[in-house]
Amino acid sequence: MRSTASVLHLDLDAFFAAVEQRDKPSLRGKPVIVGGVGGRGVVATASYEARTYGVRSAMSTREARARCPHAAFLTGRFHAYRETSSQVMAVLKAASPLVEPLSLDEAFVDLAQAGLPDLEVATVVEFGEQLRARVAEVTGGLTGTVGIGSSKFIAKVASELDKPDGLTVVPPGTESELLRPMQVTVIPGVGPATAERLRRAGIRTIAELEAVSEDEIVRLLGKAHGHGLFRLARAEDDRPVVADRETKSVSSEGTYDTDLTDRRLMAGLLARQATHVGERLRKHGLSGRTVSIKVRLHDFTTLSRSSTLASPTDSGATIARVARGLLDDLDTSGGVRLLGVGVSGLADWIQEDLFGESEPEEPEIDLPSPEPSQRAYVPGMDVVHDEMGPGWVWGSGKGVVTVRFETADTPPGPVRSYPVDDPALGPAPRPLED
């Protein structure tokens, strides 16, 4: 355990929604909900203005519309989120050589490697404030909440205490005092099922968990999980900040501006991605046993399927065969926005075929372009008009698309409607994601 508050956790506030508000001036200060816009969609992120109406992540879009019907419901723009995340991670890495990204919008930073004159509370508070200011500067005003403590667990808990746009430092020696009144669900790995098992045993708070013997926790939750919770309930966490994680998977994915509905086209795209994955595996001398696919439907719902092989492979043809088989089990009739192939369970060896046979690599696939669909224009999507310039899709339907013409650097702009096949209007150019 560290004797100093030298682990920092940064969590960007309502990240997806905040990026949308930054880039769409007319939405600033208003409820914004990012996720699936269809009836079966799910909320990915809600702005703080929408949260006041009870909207939260993982809620169905149907319920979110009932709670906050006047919100702007937008599909995600992952290229914008990735670009903004890269800017933030660059700031963190300039501050310390030990940065451990957890997702697009959060990371741990090891302050012991940041070159600070000391690690007293006043010093790390000043550092945290400077870091938050720098993040706001490079991202065009996005805010992040910072927690600083003697471990990853404590820093993560601290970053939840003063949201949004806050900073909390837990002085060394006060960790248990902070944790004891909290619900056990603040502990990583305590999801609904584990929380219910603990509740049935009369354990709701960390103080109640701390009072239970290790043997009893292991009996309730199993050896590995029980030992971990026993330690965390006592604020014992010696996990290091790891800058360069060992590669756990190799993947390739692509996002498409028009929904894919042709199964043959989807299978071909997966095969092409599988070929790229195989090439990357061979380049790094790796192979893997588990092949997975990711499919994001038109309503933002993301599906994944995986299959584990008997032995590791680096063959693009083998990966493609398994990926196509996994796709066969999914209903994609509503349209697909993203496809991806990945290989995990990596090893640095390959089981040679005992019979001297292997699947031939598939030739380069000549794929037709996706046919335009009526869902080519989805709410929130970046577009550009020959005369009006850049804007974003306000809404579409019945052959008409409505656009608000504005950017992050302009005042709120005018709204215009066009036929979906208007040649003067089209998707805005953006970096390739595959």
Side-chain angles (χ1 to χ4, degrees), residues 247-254 273-274 276-278 280-281 290 292-294 319 339-344 346 433-434:
T247 300
K248 295 183 178 180
S249 65
V250 174
S251 62
S252 175
E253 67 180 43
Q273 292 169 344
H276 294 165
V277 169
R280 290 169 59 192
L281 288 169
T290 301
S292 59
I293 65 170
K294 180 167 72 170
I319 298 166
L339 283 173
V341 177
V343 173
S344 57
L346 301 184
E433 298 184 65
D434 184 8

Side-chain angles (χ1 to χ4, degrees), residues 338-414:
L338 175 148
L339 283 173
V341 177
V343 173
S344 57
L346 301 184
D348 57 2
W349 58 278
I350 303 170
Q351 176 68 55
E352 298 294 341
D353 189 344
L354 299 180
F355 297 96
E357 298 177 354
S358 61
E359 295 187 56
E361 292 294 326
E362 298 188 8
E364 177 64 23
I365 303 160
D366 184 19
L367 296 173
S369 299
E371 290 296 324
S373 81
Q374 290 301 305
R375 280 186 296 272
Y377 292 109
V378 293
M381 175 181 172
D382 293 325
V383 294
V384 63
H385 188 270
D386 288 349
E387 295 181 7
M388 298 294 293
W392 57 277
V393 175
W394 180 283
S396 64
K398 297 183 178 180
V400 175
V401 56
T402 301
V403 178
R404 182 181 280 276
F405 290 99
E406 61 184 7
T407 70
D409 301 319
T410 69

